[in-house]
Structure formats: structure tokens, C-alpha cells
Amino acid sequence: MTTLQTAGQEAAAKVLEKFTSATRHEFRGESTVTVKLEELRAVMEFCRNVLKLNFLIDVSSVDNMGEEPRFMMVYELAKVDDSVHLRVKAAVAEQQADAGEVPTVSDLWATADWHEREVYDMMGIRFSGHPDLRRILMWEGYPYHPLRKEFPLAGRPSEMPDVAFTGEAPMADGPFVTSAGSTSRVQGEPRAR
Amino acid sequence: MVFSQARVRTRTRFREIVMETSKETSADTSADASGASSFATADAAGAALAHASYDSKIEGNVIFTRVDAAINWMRKNSLWPMPMGLACCAIELMATASSRFDISRFGAEVMRFSPRQSDVMIVAGTVTYKMALAVKRVWDQMPDPKWCIAMGACASSGGMYRSYAVLQGIDNLLPVDVYISGCPPRPEALIEGLMKLQAKIDGEESTRDLKAAAPADSIEA
Ligand code: SF4
């Protein structure tokens, strides 16, 4: 697997060469570059057109609630022949997320269209230049972004007549709930009961 | 009460059964009421009447029972399921319908994807809030009488999905007749649930319900 690591490191080095403010992180043979949000679009274009990373595996987002900037966009890039793998990250502040300051990459990789819709739906990060930024999993009009940390797992009640409604799930007891305060993880597992 | 052929719309099927019953009876040399009473739904009063009225000329055309019993018996043995397959449980539902487990042994093999033609909705799978109102709508489109089986933990209670996205049991929206536990339930469990539903239908007061639902002059009974 050394060739794969080397190819990823090479790609990361090239990004760093071009964008001097980017930082690089290696972990178990995986290369990650972290760039400024303002440079994200240029970095992605560079990766697509110069490094020829023609496969966008995934777009995801992380909520680091309590930290500033709050969100992190994560792009997994690769080549279709799997010879290179590079991860690109960019921090996004809450105001930037609301204001739609994250540039879309859906014109570079068509697959980003739905990925970005999902990020918008679940995390509430808006993308500028996206051709059709609608919710993808929840329905238009659902008032929350459920993967944000302040949103409770049990959900919140909402109501859209004739479209959908939501309620709050009971989180106490039931056969699938881990027991809180048990002495060991094994004892706390639902199947231990 | 005399239950003769003209009374009930589904009389053709009913008569077939009558014929079968009468075949058994003719094998019995004493030719008493055992034929009529071997028809599972005849009650004691019916059996007594049958004895008095035995007549070989009309044998096979007349049988004594309660209308309720006859209607229930017809309904429970030809349940047409609406397969509301929403998640993994639907795979077991398909297995139940297929050759190995063969739900047609219980008269419920006619899966209809049109709610207008079905009378038992088998909710097999996780009902998300996004799907919930669609399930309700399909249910509303099914004609009465109709029943509902909640198959598996998800349909019964939300199952392991204690989450913002999943309706915590389809009984929040529709009346459920039978709940089947399991994740997923085995086909045997679904068949057991179906038999429970049949038992439940057998005890219904169908004539009273029909009278309550329809204008009085449309039913003779
Ligand atoms: S009860 Fe289990 S098998 Fe059935 S739909 Fe839910 S998760 Fe899937």
C-alpha cells in the first residue's frame, strides 16, 4: 500500500506548494489538507483540474459546538482508479454557514449536488452557487437541522398540515436503550438484559 | 335463521362449501344433522333446526347458521393484504408470501398494491415521519371492513429507532389489530399473527357493524 500513501502525500504536497496558508496532517497513511474557506473553491478547482482527482467520494460536515469556528466541511477526494486519496477540510463559522459562504463544488463533481443538499438539510450549512439547494431527507418546511449538536436525539415536535409531522421519541427505557450508570459497557448493553 | 342462497352476495363460494359439507353428510348413513353441525360455525340452536328440516331434495342448498358466523368465515379465509413494506421486515413478508412458507394456505396470498382491493394492511417496516401520512392515506383509501397488522418492532413501537425521524408506532395513526414482535419477525410469526387476526375476525359482530354502516333497507337479515 506504500504507493497509495505516497500518491496521497504527493497530492497534499502539491496543494501546499500552491496554497501556502494550507496545513497538512498525516494519519495512518491518510493525507488531509486544511484550507481557509476563502481558498476552498480554488483548492477544489486545483484538485479537480490539475491533480485530476476525478472522484468525489463524499462530502460531510462536522459540528464542533462550543468551538469557533463551529463547523468543518470535509471533502474526500480520490481518483476513480483508487491510486490517490486526499481529504480536504475547511472550517466554517456559524454566520458563514447561515450566509451561504461555502462555495458549491457541484459543477466540478456532479455528485456533490445531493451531498451538499444533505449537508444543508442535516447541518444547515448553505452553499453558494448550488443549482437546487432544497432539503433532501426531511421535507421542505421542516424547521430544524437534526444533526446539529443542540438538536436532541429524541427530536422535537413539528407540524406541517398535509405534509408531515414529527413528535418526540420516548428516550427512557424500552428494549433497545443502553442502561445509564451501569458499571461496565457490557452490562449496559441492551442485549445484557 | 335460514341462510339461503339469494341472501348473500358471495353465495357462489358459500355454496361450494355447502356442497362439500353435504358430501360428508351423505357418507353418513344416518343422515342426521351432523352434516350441518360439522359446519364449524353452526351454533346449537341451528343444529337443532337442521335436524328437523332435513330434506334430501334441497340438501346442499340450505344450511343453518348465523349470518355473522358465515360472513366472518368468508372474510377471514380470504384476506387480501396490502403489503406496506417499508424496511427490512418487508423481506420477511415476501418470504412469508413465497413458496416455502406459503401464506396462501391461509387464504391471504392475494397481495394487492391497490388499497381499493385490499382488506388487511400489513405494515412491515420502519415508518418514518416522512412516510407516515402516506401510510395513513393508503389506509384511508382501503374500503371497510379493514384490519391492520403491525409487523415487527418498528411498526409496533418505533423499534430501535428512538429518533427524530421515526414515528413511534403506526398505532399513532391507525387502529392496529395485531402486533407482531420481532426484529424482524420470522415468517412463522407473521402467519401466527394472521391466524390471530382470523380468530379476531371470527368473533366480530359483522351484521351489526354492516347495519350500522349501511342504510337499513340495503341489508336483509
Ligand atoms: S423491526 Fe427490525 S427488521 Fe423490522 S423494519 Fe424494524 S429494524 Fe427492520
Side-chain angles (χ1 to χ4, degrees), chain A residues 56-73:
Chain A
L56 178 65
I57 300 175
D58 200 3
V59 177
S60 53
S61 56
V62 181
D63 182 0
N64 302 308
M65 197 167 90
E67 282 173 32
E68 203 47 56
R70 177 172 172 181
F71 300 110
M72 181 77 91
M73 286 300 305

Side-chain angles (χ1 to χ4, degrees), chain B residues 87-89 125-126 152-154 160-161 182-184:
Chain B
C88 7
C89 272
T126 319
C154 284
M160 62 179 156
Y161 300 105
C183 177

Side-chain angles (χ1 to χ4, degrees), chain B residues 100-160:
Chain B
R100 178 161 182 181
F101 296 98
D102 190 12
I103 206 173
S104 68
R105 292 176 295 151
F106 303 87
E109 79 278 23
V110 193
M111 300 270 176
R112 282 292 127 140
F113 294 89
S114 161
R116 311 271 183 215
Q117 300 175 356
S118 17
D119 41 22
V120 52
M121 180 188 264
I122 302 179
V123 184
T126 319
V127 189
T128 59
Y129 284 115
K130 200 174 182 176
M131 190 65 188
L133 290 191
V135 176
K136 172 86 162 88
R137 188 162 171 197
V138 171
W139 169 259
D140 288 342
Q141 287 170 341
M142 287 167 57
D144 277 321
K146 56 191 171 185
W147 299 274
C148 177
I149 296 179
M151 178 185 180
C154 284
S156 306
S157 71
M160 62 179 156

Side-chain angles (χ1 to χ4, degrees), chain A residues 167-189:
Chain A
E168 221 165 296
M171 298 307 284
D173 55 56
F176 298 104
V177 177
T178 44
S179 7
S182 46
T183 43
S184 80
R185 279 284 166 89
V186 173
Q187 290 303 309
E189 282 291 299

